[in-house]
Amino acid sequence: MFGRIEDIVRTSGKRVRDASGFTVENKGTRENLVTSMDIENEIFLRRELTSLIPGSTFMGEEGDDARVSDEGYTWVVDPIDGTANFSRGIPMVGISVALFKDGEPHMGFVHNPFTDTTYSAVAGGGAFRNGERVHVSDRELADCIMCTAWCTYEKSMAPGCFRVSERMHPMCNDIRRIGTAAVELGLLSEGAVDLYFEIRLSPWDYSAGLLCVKEAGGCYTGIDGDVDWNEPSPVIAANNESNMETLLGVVRDEFDGKRPY
Ligand code: LIP
């Protein structure tokens, strides 16, 4: 099953990599884009993945409002994470596929077709990059690179995000804004980066990437408890508990300890 899912994800990646002539539209706010390739790839992934496991349900960024079921299998999919990058030809995008089993993350895949990189994980079975086992870094805070964003889709929350960056920057090595949560969490799982924070992400952005982080020995949390697998959530992730607690403390301080939406 693992190999067959990875094959489907990689096949969808070839379609995204070779796409041309796609249209770009706004979804809600001016900054929230959707391309015809997002929609086309979600249709492909929905068809192929639900056929793999008859009776499985599907939650996709571009589709209906399905929820992770407490029994059986649910796919949680972002057909192109980093749509703004994709629409501009910036080769940092992630096709993110998570398979939930009885309400918990079971398998996760994040594939960047432009770098031919696939992060993957199986619950209890470890995390991988192109089939090779990976582990988060052991860097202490002063040597950490943090991936983050400043809430592009809800810019009213940006000031708090900027303040988190302003406070973390002197404590760590540097900050990166790559524009795809899924790939940034994949980079955390392989030890390329060490911290991650966004105040508002959707389950399809982070479900696969957080399983990779956890199976690679990292940790994650929401702002006031666990991340939510069915609703948009803040996401704080790190290479170890100590660094996560430091980042979480700054985030909770800047957002009064609760999600601002
Ligand atoms: C994107 C995330 C990114 C976030 C963007 C956007 P999308 O997902 O991966 O980290 O900062 O605002 O949510 O919308 O391109 O699938």
Side-chain angles (χ1 to χ4, degrees):
M1 179 63 74
F2 181 91
R4 292 171 67 188
I5 300 169
E6 188 169 19
D7 288 346
I8 290 169
V9 173
R10 292 180 61 82
T11 299
S12 85
K14 291 187 179 72
R15 302 154 53 92
V16 170
R17 185 196 61 203
D18 299 340
S20 62
F22 52 83
T23 60
V24 184
E25 294 180 6
N26 297 94
K27 264 190 325 187
T29 61
R30 183 189 184 102
E31 296 82 7
N32 193 350
L33 304 178
V34 58
T35 72
S36 52
M37 195 64 222
D38 288 83
I39 294 167
E40 187 182 319
N41 203 37
E42 181 159 316
I43 291 169
F44 171 82
L45 288 167
R46 178 191 293 267
R47 182 182 68 240
E48 295 299 314
L49 294 171
T50 54
S51 303
L52 213 51
I53 303 180
S56 57
T57 55
F58 189 98
M59 178 201 295
E61 176 169 12
E62 312 307 341
D64 50 32
D65 296 333
R67 298 178 66 81
V68 173
S69 53
D70 292 333
E71 289 183 13
Y73 292 95
T74 303
W75 303 96
V76 179
V77 172
D78 191 340
I80 300 179
D81 184 59
T83 297
N85 285 352
F86 172 71
S87 71
R88 293 162 176 263
I90 299 170
M92 291 306 283
V93 305
I95 296 164
S96 183
V97 171
L99 176 61
F100 282 72
K101 181 179 180 183
D102 299 336
E104 294 298 326
H106 182 56
M107 291 184 188
F109 302 80
V110 176
H111 177 60
N112 183 347
F114 296 101
T115 61
D116 197 21
T117 304
T118 306
Y119 299 102
S120 59
V122 182
F128 303 86
R129 179 186 190 275
N130 289 351
E132 296 294 321
R133 195 77 183 254
V134 293
H135 197 274
V136 295
S137 79
D138 60 0
R139 292 187 185 91
E140 60 188 63
L141 186 59
D143 297 325
C144 285
I145 284 182
M146 178 174 86
C147 281
T148 194
W150 301 290
C151 210
T152 304
Y153 298 165
E154 300 280 349
K155 289 190 171 178
S156 60
M157 292 189 277
C161 299
F162 285 128
R163 289 195 297 272
V164 170
S165 294
E166 185 179 11
R167 290 176 59 180
M168 290 303 298
H169 188 256
M171 288 192 266
C172 66
N173 175 296
D174 203 352
I175 291 175
R176 295 280 189 279
R177 162 58 169 156
I178 294 173
T180 157
V183 171
E184 288 164 324
L185 292 169
L187 289 167
L188 205 164
S189 73
E190 67 164 313
V193 303
D194 321 285
L195 298 171
Y196 182 83
F197 162 61
E198 285 208 48
I199 191 61
R200 189 184 191 280
L201 280 172
S202 296
W204 43 76
D205 295 320
Y206 53 77
S207 292
L210 287 180
L211 182 62
C212 293
V213 167
K214 179 181 177 183
E215 288 299 322
C219 47
Y220 61 81
T221 182
I223 195 171
D224 51 1
D226 288 341
V227 299
D228 194 317
W229 301 124
N230 282 296
E231 301 294 340
S233 174
V235 175
I236 296 100
N239 60 343
N240 63 49
E241 292 283 349
S242 170
N243 291 339
M244 184 179 79
E245 289 303 322
T246 299
L247 175 54
L248 177 61
V250 172
V251 172
R252 289 178 62 83
D253 187 40
E254 291 301 336
F255 288 94
D256 299 324
K258 58 185 182 296
R259 67 175 70 186
Y261 49 84

